[in-house]
Amino acid sequence: MLRYGVMRAMANENKNEHGFVTVYNRTSSAKELHHEYEGLQTRIFKIIVIGDSNVGKTCLSYRFCGGRFLKNPEATIGVDFRERTVDIDGENIKLQIWDTAGQERFRKSMVEHYYRNVHAIIFVYDITKLSSFESLPEWIEECGRHSVPPMVPRILVGNKCDLKGKGEVPTSLAQRMADGYNFPLFETSAKDPAEKEHVDAIFLTLAYKLKNHKPLRLRQLNECSPMPLSDEQDTQGPCLC
Ligand SMILES: Nc1nc2c(ncn2[C@@H]2O[C@H](COP(=O)(O)OP(=O)(O)OP(=O)(O)O)[C@@H](O)[C@H]2O)c(=O)[nH]1
């Protein structure tokens, strides 16, 4: 419960400046969902960003949702939520990005929530830190242990390419792993402004793949939320498509 309190405080604090949404806050969730319900246009997809601490998960998701590099990010506790609506072939699709904690002590009580009803997964490593690349099979196994269906798209991202000179993970090695898992591979930088469109491309690739998938329903969103909505919101929830 304390963990949720901390997360809620963080999200509320950052909501306007950083584009966070507080899906675990009862009041805010109801507002968000109602807005979506009235619009009846936007499908919502849950994308989780997974990987070792310090690989740049927060900065990548912030680059996509906030449009710039986040200086001095703090270690993620539990999960931070960001979102961005994109137009895919004339359809509005809302990508709800779950920026997960890399540190075990900040994530252990949340892991179930990360994987529940997930629509796509981004595995991130730091190209300047071999150990973060070597951890990837463990992250992928964790995802398997939580029964994520095989059709859920997954992407491998090597971050911090602006530090290419300090690179410890050759592209060829990363590509071999990506091929082995049959995941697309992106190497990019959350920091380098010139890579902004490349970062967008990671998320847009998933959005295109998800376009033909089933939408997130209110009931599912409720289940995703660490703090459940009321029964009324749950039972009256129509499909958001
Ligand atoms: N040079 C460089 N530094 C980056 C990049 N992305 C993130 N960083 C730095 O890497 C550090 C960690 O970034 P975060 O985004 O907080 O990493 P994280 O994976 O979310 O970490 P946890 O929340 O602990 O799981 C910070 O000092 C960032 O400034 C990048 O593309 N290039």
Side-chain angles (χ1 to χ4, degrees):
M1 219 46 198
L2 176 65
R3 176 66 42 79
Y4 295 159
V6 171
M7 291 182 341
R8 187 162 51 247
M10 285 177 61
N12 282 336
E13 216 173 77
N14 291 301
K15 187 169 180 180
N16 293 330
E17 191 192 345
H18 298 330
F20 285 92
V21 281
T22 317
V23 292
Y24 35 73
N25 176 304
R26 216 169 264 257
T27 317
S28 302
S29 294
K31 222 182 286 170
E32 285 286 326
L33 295 172
H34 185 62
H35 176 73
E36 289 302 322
Y37 173 38
E38 280 179 345
L40 283 179
Q41 294 145 338
T42 310
R43 291 196 285 164
I44 305 174
F45 292 104
K46 170 182 172 181
I47 299 176
I48 56 173
V49 188
I50 296 276
D52 277 8
S53 180
N54 248 18
V55 295
K57 300 181 295 298
T58 297
C59 289
L60 279 170
S61 60
Y62 192 89
R63 169 63 84 183
F64 176 67
C65 296
R68 61 184 173 83
F69 183 60
L70 179 64
K71 287 185 186 141
N72 308 318
E74 290 178 3
T76 304
I77 298 172
V79 63
D80 286 334
F81 301 96
R82 298 186 183 88
E83 65 180 31
R84 181 170 156 191
T85 301
V86 292
D87 182 319
I88 303 289
D89 296 336
E91 181 187 349
N92 276 342
I93 289 185
K94 184 180 279 192
L95 302 181
Q96 183 186 83
I97 315 297
W98 287 49
D99 168 22
T100 71
Q103 289 187 52
E104 177 60 21
R105 64 191 167 127
F106 292 148
R107 72 193 306 276
K108 57 184 174 216
S109 62
M110 289 295 298
V111 178
E112 299 294 327
H113 296 283
Y114 295 161
Y115 292 104
R116 191 173 303 156
N117 294 317
V118 67
H119 292 100
I121 305 176
I122 299 175
F123 294 102
V124 185
Y125 65 95
D126 174 348
I127 66 142
T128 71
K129 202 163 176 206
L130 186 61
S131 62
S132 72
F133 177 76
E134 290 172 340
S135 299
L136 288 170
E138 282 173 45
W139 293 116
I140 294 165
E141 273 165 36
E142 178 187 87
C143 161
R145 281 200 302 279
H146 287 81
S147 308
V148 176
M151 75 282 277
V152 167
R154 290 131 162 107
I155 279 189
L156 210 59
V157 174
N159 189 36
K160 307 197 187 180
C161 274
D162 54 294
L163 302 175
K164 203 80 181 179
K166 296 182 183 166
E168 289 186 1
V169 185
T171 304
S172 55
L173 184 64
Q175 191 62 60
R176 260 207 307 282
M177 182 186 282
D179 290 346
Y181 285 110
N182 207 16
F183 301 166
L185 170 70
F186 284 80
E187 287 183 321
T188 193
S189 162
K191 185 172 186 178
D192 183 356
E195 284 287 303
K196 181 184 181 313
E197 284 179 9
H198 201 206
V199 173
D200 283 357
I202 296 166
F203 292 90
L204 292 177
T205 297
L206 290 174
Y208 272 101
K209 286 188 183 202
L210 293 169
K211 189 174 183 293
N212 297 322
H213 283 202
K214 69 176 178 160
L216 184 64
R217 292 167 183 272
L218 280 177
R219 178 179 293 276
Q220 283 178 290
L221 191 60
N222 186 3
E223 286 165 4
C224 291
S225 174
M227 188 172 284
L229 304 177
S230 69
D231 289 347
E232 191 188 350
Q233 286 153 8
D234 186 23
T235 53
Q236 289 183 353
C239 176
L240 293 176
C241 58

